[in-house]
């Protein structure tokens, strides 16, 4: 009897150890993500294990979530992570960049709340706002907790800047799960677009999300190859001033990566990092006068407005040749800027625009999706 008891224990331990090793092996092998550095998706028969990394700057914490179907059997080793039943039919999202992913999946009607609705430019989602199916829930600095508790979303998709939000913690204490989305921290254009798979998991539609991403990826990579045929590599300046300080994207940022892929030379490529670099006006005047193009003129909406504010720029090559382009002029009916909403999900359209601007002979005639020449 004693031998039988120890035999059963050995058998159970061996099975558990084997299951644990199998799970670890599967965890290693079945990541659904290619380009996004901050997202890991592991697929199992009845659930997904999703890990979100790089949520905050200089903070290595990883957030792990278990998204499971009704009555799913989940290993005990995963029971300490937040569990969310999918598909999520009622969600609050907190960034306009979340909207295009849900629209591509035809799941925009799953949104029940959003902070500062005027920032949304999409006609599809604005029609839901007009029908009172999406409710304003304050702003990201001060979410309306009472409204959120009334809405009772199945999940709130949030993002972090430098620390975990006390508001998010309070919502979780009141039974509303919060999932961090870190797409805005991705440096590769396709890495940002790949976060559509995150919403594919939430809505239990990952195969569709994967297909949509593959279409975007193929389009982007084809355009990247097309740009390599260009006979010139023009010098491009990017960025603008705010209260006397110039902010330009650093060399490893999303915005500069797309410029490189459009076969351009970025003027301020000496600044390492993936954020913004602060420059004095003197530095910009010294370096930027010979740039052939100015992509992203910030708050300036006309050439006259720019020169009234920056008269010393009149001799810049890009200004003299009228090769200044803004991404801030195409707006929704309530002032939301299309670029800030859609560009991160459709980097192929951004790349197409830049090729049309920088190498107009490479593509068949067409209109720009995001940019306009500064009038």
């Amino acid at each position: 009897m004693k031998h039988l008891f120890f035999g059963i224990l050995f058998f159970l331990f061996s099975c558990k150890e084997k299951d644990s090793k199998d799970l670890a092996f599967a965890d290693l092998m079945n990541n659904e993500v290619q380009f996004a550095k901050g997202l890991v998706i592991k697929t199992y028969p009845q659930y997904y294990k999703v890990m979100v990394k790089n949520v905050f700057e200089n903070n290595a914490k990883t957030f792990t979530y278990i998204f499971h179907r009704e009555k799913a059997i989940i290993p005990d080793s995963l029971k300490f992570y937040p569990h969310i039943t999918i598909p999520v039919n009622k969600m609050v999202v907190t960034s306009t960049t979340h909207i295009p992913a849900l629209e591509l999946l035809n799941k925009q009607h799953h949104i029940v709340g959003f902070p500062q609705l005027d920032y949304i430019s999409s006609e599809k989602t604005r029609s839901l706002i007009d029908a009172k199916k999406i409710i304003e829930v304050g702003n990201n600095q001060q979410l309306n907790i009472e409204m959120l508790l009334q809405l009772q979303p199945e999940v709130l998709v949030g993002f972090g800047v430098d620390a975990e939000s006390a508001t998010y913690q309070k919502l979780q204490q009141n039974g509303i799960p919060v999932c961090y989305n870190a797409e805005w921290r991705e440096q590769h254009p396709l890495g940002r677009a790949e976060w559509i798979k995150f919403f594919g998991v939430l809505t239990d539609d990952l195969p569709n999300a994967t297909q949509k991403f593959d279409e975007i990826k193929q389009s982007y990579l084809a355009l990247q190859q097309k740009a390599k045929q260009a006979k010139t590599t023009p010098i491009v300046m990017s960025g603008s001033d705010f209260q006397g300080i110039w902010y330009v994207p650093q060399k490893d940022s999303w915005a500069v990566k797309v410029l490189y892929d459009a076969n351009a030379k970025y003027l301020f490529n000496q600044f390492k990092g993936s954020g913004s670099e602060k420059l004095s006006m003197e530095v910009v005047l010294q370096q930027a006068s010979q740039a052939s193009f100015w992509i992203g003129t910030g708050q300036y909406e006309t050439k006259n407005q720019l020169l009234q504010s920056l008269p010393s720029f009149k001799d810049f090559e890009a200004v003299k040749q009228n090769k200044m382009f803004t991404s801030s002029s195409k707006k929704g009916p309530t002032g939301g800027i299309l670029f800030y909403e859609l560009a991160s999900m459709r980097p192929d359209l951004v790349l197409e625009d830049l090729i049309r601007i920088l190498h107009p002979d490479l593509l068949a005639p067409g209109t720009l999706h995001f940019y306009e020449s500064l009038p």
Side-chain angles (χ1 to χ4, degrees):
M1 192 71 178
K2 187 176 177 182
H3 293 298
L4 177 62
F5 173 74
F6 282 111
I8 291 170
L9 275 182
F10 179 78
F11 174 76
L12 290 174
F13 178 78
S14 298
C15 288
K16 191 167 186 178
E17 185 178 44
K18 183 176 185 300
D19 288 346
S20 177
K21 287 180 179 177
D22 287 348
L23 185 62
F25 179 74
D27 228 27
L28 186 67
M29 296 301 292
N30 71 344
N31 185 16
E32 302 279 359
V33 177
Q34 298 172 269
F35 291 88
K37 300 298 185 184
L39 178 65
V40 178
I41 298 173
K42 314 286 190 177
T43 301
Y44 300 94
Q46 299 178 51
Y47 64 92
Y48 296 97
K49 180 181 178 184
V50 174
M51 287 164 276
V52 178
K53 302 181 288 184
N54 304 325
V55 174
F56 312 113
E57 192 170 2
N58 301 320
N59 188 327
K61 181 175 181 177
T62 295
F63 294 84
T64 300
Y65 310 100
I66 306 301
F67 297 97
H68 62 88
R69 299 183 182 93
E70 202 77 51
K71 299 180 181 179
I73 298 173
I74 300 169
D76 288 345
S77 59
L78 303 178
K79 68 181 180 181
F80 297 107
Y81 299 122
H83 287 207
I84 298 163
T85 304
I86 55 174
V88 173
N89 294 308
K90 290 175 62 180
M91 70 177 75
V92 170
V93 295
T94 54
S95 170
T96 55
T97 58
H98 303 161
I99 303 292
L102 288 163
E103 288 191 349
L104 279 173
L105 297 173
N106 197 28
K107 299 292 194 303
Q108 65 274 9
H109 54 281
H110 291 217
I111 305 169
V112 296
F114 187 87
Q116 295 177 281
L117 293 172
D118 285 352
Y119 285 128
I120 297 176
S121 61
S122 163
E123 292 182 9
K124 281 184 180 180
T125 301
R126 290 225 62 86
S127 67
L128 294 171
I129 295 168
D130 294 340
K132 308 298 183 185
K133 293 182 178 179
I134 300 177
I135 306 301
E136 182 150 322
V137 292
N139 60 65
N140 275 310
Q141 287 70 44
Q142 192 171 0
L143 291 171
N144 187 328
I145 293 178
E146 289 184 10
M147 179 61 72
L148 287 165
L149 292 176
Q150 287 179 28
L151 284 174
Q152 281 297 302
E154 296 162 36
V155 70
L156 181 144
V157 179
F159 63 91
V161 178
D162 53 12
E164 292 186 56
S165 164
T167 301
Y168 290 171
Q169 292 175 2
K170 190 169 184 178
L171 289 172
Q172 291 178 105
Q173 290 166 4
N174 282 276
I176 296 176
V178 174
C179 295
Y180 279 105
N181 178 301
E183 55 86 13
W184 67 282
R185 300 267 296 153
E186 299 288 345
Q187 297 175 23
H188 196 290
L190 290 174
R192 286 196 179 186
E194 196 165 21
W195 278 79
I196 191 174
K197 295 178 181 179
F198 175 88
F199 290 99
V201 170
L202 261 66
T203 57
D204 202 9
D205 199 14
L206 183 58
N208 187 24
T210 300
Q211 180 182 338
K212 297 294 185 188
F213 172 72
D214 286 345
E215 291 169 359
I216 293 168
K217 177 183 72 173
Q218 290 164 14
S219 173
Y220 188 95
L221 294 177
L223 286 163
Q224 184 185 31
Q225 289 300 312
K226 192 73 173 176
K228 291 179 180 179
Q229 300 173 16
K231 297 177 181 178
T232 60
T233 305
I235 300 173
V236 174
M237 67 174 285
S238 185
S240 62
D241 67 307
F242 180 72
Q243 297 181 348
I245 301 295
W246 273 80
Y247 294 86
V248 302
Q250 294 169 333
K251 65 178 294 186
D252 300 317
S253 65
W254 179 92
V256 174
K257 170 64 176 170
V258 185
L259 282 173
Y260 289 148
D261 288 344
N263 203 347
K265 181 179 180 182
Y266 178 53
L267 184 67
F268 301 112
N269 66 356
Q270 71 268 39
F271 299 112
K272 295 180 180 180
S274 58
S276 296
E277 189 77 21
K278 295 179 183 179
L279 302 179
S280 68
M281 184 69 73
E282 289 73 22
V283 170
V284 175
L285 287 169
Q286 288 170 8
Q287 295 191 31
S289 62
Q290 297 305 309
S292 304
F293 292 85
W294 184 354
I295 306 292
T297 56
Q299 74 270 30
Y300 301 113
E301 297 183 353
T302 68
K303 181 178 179 179
N304 285 341
Q305 186 187 60
L306 184 150
L307 288 176
Q308 284 176 7
S309 179
L310 304 168
S312 53
F313 281 41
K314 67 181 186 303
D315 295 323
F316 275 34
E317 189 66 22
V319 176
K320 289 193 295 185
Q321 300 298 324
N322 292 317
K323 291 183 177 179
M324 301 167 290
F325 292 83
T326 177
S327 60
S328 301
S329 58
K330 294 188 177 182
K331 300 176 181 179
T334 55
I337 296 174
L338 179 65
F339 183 87
Y340 296 150
E341 181 171 310
L342 182 58
S344 62
M345 183 51 55
R346 293 302 307 271
D348 56 323
L349 301 184
V350 179
L351 182 56
E352 182 182 326
D353 274 6
L354 292 174
I355 293 173
R356 288 193 188 283
I357 291 168
L358 303 173
H359 312 291
D361 57 318
L362 287 182
L363 299 176
T367 57
L368 298 176
H369 302 284
F370 299 111
Y371 292 95
E372 287 185 339
S373 177
L374 205 65

